[in-house]
Amino acid sequence: MGVKKKIRIGMIGYKFMGKAHSHAYRDLPFYFDCDVEPVLQAVVGRDEDGVREAAERMGFASYETDWRKLIERDDIDLIDIVTPNNTHAEIAIAAAEAGKHILCEKPLALTLEDAQRMYNAVKKNNVIHMVCHNYRFAPAVQFAKKLIQEGRLGKIYHVRAQYLQDWIMDPKFPSVWRLKKAVTGSGALGDIAAHSIDMARFLVGEFEEVTGMMETFIKERPVADSSGGLSAKSESTIMEEVDVDDASAFLVRFENGAMGVFEATRFAGGNRNGNRIEINGSKGSIRWDMEQMNNLEVYFADDENGLQGFRNITCTEEHHPFAGAYWPAGHIIGYEHTFINLMTELMKGISEGYSPSPNFEDGVRNQEILTAIEKSAETRSWVNVKQMRLVENV
Ligand SMILES: NC(=O)c1ccc[n+]([C@@H]2O[C@H](COP(=O)([O-])OP(=O)(O)OC[C@H]3O[C@@H](n4cnc5c(N)ncnc54)[C@H](O)[C@@H]3O)[C@@H](O)[C@H]2O)c1
């Protein structure tokens, strides 16, 4: 066996997604025999003590305190962007101009214009690119895709998607970056509905038109003392305005004629990460729930009378995409494995010279839909998604 080409990772940010991504790169070679090998070369953080500690804990060989320095380094092949949404465009465009491959967290950008600029930059500089919609890499979701592609569900009539969380229901929960439009773009919509949109595009196809509503229940919150991922602390009495949606809901007409009903909220008490989708077709249905992510519920209309109903498949067998790389059947996997699967595709793309889906083009399509929903909520009308498109044929 020859020595594998190393893909030297430079990661910017090191909290919630920093932990998920660096863990996935480390574990990937343990399960998947890729032609190339990811190496944790350098991590960036603005606070030197914090980033030094993160580099040691997560296994990076070095660190930087300015992302521009990382991009200038010639010992980095891939820039991994795990910072808040307002930083994605500037970093990704600079990385593309420097000829680095890019993995960017979702949503691709703060605005559709930025997303389009990022896509133009990766195309122009011919680098490999992906956006981190990890949930479609759960083996059960991949298996659902296979059933739909094989026509096992027939003509698709309904898509019912919910992404339900409850982590900001306490009015005293601080004003974190996910609640500031200038940093995040939109609230529940861009943060979690973006995942449901990606999954629906993956499983069913393109959105034609949308109509939506958005609501902010708690209009101001105390300034945060510290935050990371979905947790934060505050002792402050100073209040800040919340200028993004706490909850969003929208209807969709798909290009293939299917109807969609979507809901994304951080005010669904008791639901911690209820990312769910149900699809009904003329011959069958599927249901998936992130909190039971190994399972796919499947119904086939031609099952014997009397035995009809949803069957619960544990997607841990070699017949289920990606699952064969892990454990014997029934030995379940978790959240972190969705990232390992995504990064395996990314390594394959880098070694074979293509940008696996979801890539920046998918990121732009997703952002067009987010923008159309915001516009429809503002104007209280239906909005055609293609009318959002900034440049033809991209
Ligand atoms: N794929 C998923 O399921 C998923 C889940 C959570 C978050 N995300 C996305 O990942 C991104 C990061 O979210 P998070 O929850 O990890 O955030 P976080 O608040 O936990 O971490 C953000 C990190 O970025 C750093 N940072 C901010 N500005 C920086 C700058 N200018 N230079 C260097 N570092 C900087 C922070 O110090 C921190 O390390 C966001 O785009 C978010 O939407 C995706």
Side-chain angles (χ1 to χ4, degrees):
M1 205 172 72
V3 178
K4 291 185 178 182
K5 180 174 178 342
K6 295 193 187 324
I7 303 301
R8 297 159 299 179
I9 317 283
M11 196 175 81
I12 306 171
Y14 57 79
K15 286 195 181 162
F16 180 17
M17 281 305 103
K19 183 174 175 182
H21 287 213
S22 45
H23 169 266
Y25 291 122
R26 282 171 64 149
D27 257 22
L28 189 160
F30 196 85
Y31 297 109
F32 292 93
D33 185 18
C34 293
D35 292 339
V36 295
E37 185 191 340
V39 175
L40 298 180
Q41 193 79 344
V43 60
V44 179
R46 291 159 300 176
D47 161 45
E48 182 152 9
D49 290 342
V51 72
R52 186 189 307 111
E53 187 277 325
E56 277 167 23
R57 176 169 38 85
M58 301 197 295
F60 282 87
S62 62
Y63 68 84
E64 298 285 352
T65 52
D66 183 345
W67 61 262
R68 289 170 192 85
K69 285 223 175 100
L70 181 79
I71 287 176
E72 279 167 14
R73 278 172 61 161
D74 57 12
D75 65 341
I76 300 292
D77 303 302
L78 173 93
I79 296 291
D80 187 331
I81 306 170
V82 284
T83 46
N85 310 344
N86 63 331
T87 62
H88 293 181
E90 194 186 359
I91 297 174
I93 292 167
E97 298 288 345
K100 315 287 191 200
H101 306 308
I102 306 170
L103 174 61
C104 184
E105 260 304 343
K106 48 51 64 179
L108 187 56
L110 199 65
T111 64
L112 176 56
E113 286 76 11
D114 279 354
Q116 186 68 56
R117 288 195 304 118
M118 293 164 77
Y119 180 53
N120 294 349
V122 293
K123 292 293 278 184
K124 184 174 137 228
N125 293 288
N126 215 11
V127 296
I128 304 301
H129 46 98
M130 273 188 97
V131 57
C132 194
H133 283 292
N134 55 301
Y135 291 113
R136 64 155 88 174
F137 289 95
V141 174
Q142 294 275 325
F143 189 58
K145 166 81 173 173
K146 184 167 177 280
L147 294 177
I148 292 169
Q149 254 174 345
E150 288 170 356
R152 302 284 294 269
L153 264 53
K155 178 175 165 43
I156 304 299
Y157 295 131
H158 287 291
V159 179
R160 213 163 288 112
Q162 299 168 327
Y163 204 139
L164 312 178
Q165 298 185 335
D166 64 356
W167 57 282
I168 58 168
M169 284 186 76
D170 179 353
K172 294 201 197 86
F173 185 88
S175 163
V176 292
W177 69 259
R178 279 179 167 81
L179 301 175
K180 298 176 194 186
K181 191 173 176 62
V183 187
T184 188
S186 61
L189 185 69
D191 198 35
I192 49 179
H195 277 307
S196 302
I197 291 168
D198 179 71
M199 193 158 320
R201 286 188 63 249
F202 175 58
L203 293 174
V204 176
E206 294 302 336
F207 289 41
E208 185 173 310
E209 53 177 352
V210 294
T211 186
M213 62 185 289
M214 300 166 80
E215 189 55 65
T216 308
F217 299 116
I218 306 293
K219 314 273 190 223
E220 54 171 29
R221 292 176 179 274
V223 171
D225 296 334
S226 65
S227 75
L230 305 188
S231 49
K233 289 198 179 92
S234 174
E235 299 287 323
S236 182
T237 50
I238 303 166
M239 303 297 276
E240 273 183 340
E241 188 199 356
V242 176
D243 54 2
V244 294
D245 52 300
D246 288 330
S248 281
F250 51 98
L251 302 179
V252 180
R253 197 179 309 280
F254 286 83
E255 284 183 358
N256 64 10
M259 281 171 66
V261 180
F262 287 68
E263 188 186 11
T265 175
R266 295 155 168 168
F267 275 70
N271 292 276
R272 301 300 201 236
N273 198 37
N275 175 6
R276 303 174 194 146
I277 192 159
E278 175 166 336
I279 296 172
N280 312 120
S282 56
K283 295 188 189 166
S285 299
I286 62 100
R287 275 187 202 148
W288 181 76
D289 176 351
M290 171 58 203
E291 288 177 322
Q292 311 292 331
M293 63 164 275
N294 287 275
N295 296 348
L296 185 70
E297 288 188 85
V298 184
Y299 162 78
F300 291 122
D302 60 3
D303 273 353
E304 197 182 324
N305 284 338
L307 285 175
Q308 288 202 346
F310 277 94
R311 54 180 97 164
N312 198 345
I313 317 286
T314 305
C315 296
T316 51
E317 305 191 13
E318 61 189 52
H319 315 287
H320 304 119
F322 297 103
Y326 295 102
W327 311 113
H331 296 62
I332 58 175
I333 59 168
Y335 177 61
E336 62 271 36
H337 299 86
T338 61
F339 293 92
I340 299 175
N341 296 345
L342 183 150
M343 283 156 198
T344 300
E345 287 297 293
L346 177 61
M347 291 302 127
K348 192 161 167 250
I350 290 173
S351 116
E352 294 176 16
Y354 71 99
S355 295
S357 189
N359 52 38
F360 281 20
E361 185 175 0
D362 294 288
V364 172
R365 295 285 93 83
N366 197 306
Q367 207 104 25
E368 285 168 357
I369 295 164
L370 297 174
T371 309
I373 294 161
E374 283 185 285
K375 189 163 182 222
S376 84
E378 227 174 83
T379 56
R380 298 185 171 227
S381 60
W382 281 87
V383 174
N384 185 295
V385 173
K386 278 214 179 101
Q387 280 174 3
M388 300 293 107
R389 199 155 290 185
L390 296 172
V391 183
E392 279 309 312
N393 306 322
V394 287

